[in-house]
Amino acid sequence: MARGHQKFQSQQKNAKKQAEIKKSKGHDQKAAAQAALVYTCTVCRTQMPDPKTFKQHFESKHPKSPMPPELVGVEA
């Protein structure tokens, strides 16, 4: 077991190592997943990753609502 100055040096070295690991990790998965959700339903505010999924959602969940202009012409 390290004591005194050696313990302090070990703690400093470990803190530096942990900071480098944290920096090298980069982005977390939640932020990346949230950035991928670019289409938002105008009726229920649900977010979807692509226009095909958005159109399928809109047709199944909101059949009586008019189709948004960005979905007209998108193949489902």
Side-chain angles (χ1 to χ4, degrees), residues 5-74:
H5 187 65
Q6 186 181 6
K7 180 179 178 184
F8 179 73
Q9 286 177 332
S10 178
Q11 288 174 343
Q12 293 294 331
K13 183 179 174 184
N14 189 33
K16 186 176 179 182
K17 183 178 174 184
Q18 293 299 326
E20 287 177 12
I21 290 172
K22 189 174 183 181
K23 188 195 297 186
S24 69
K25 270 189 178 178
H27 303 290
D28 59 322
Q29 290 180 341
K30 271 189 179 179
Q34 191 64 30
L37 300 174
V38 293
Y39 295 94
T40 303
C41 178
T42 55
V43 179
C44 64
R45 300 289 183 213
T46 304
Q47 294 180 320
M48 279 137 290
D50 54 53
K52 182 178 178 182
T53 307
F54 186 15
K55 186 167 185 175
Q56 288 174 344
H57 161 81
F58 208 88
E59 290 171 342
S60 66
K61 302 290 182 185
H62 317 293
K64 295 180 182 176
S65 299
M67 189 72 67
E70 64 263 18
L71 292 180
V72 176
V74 174

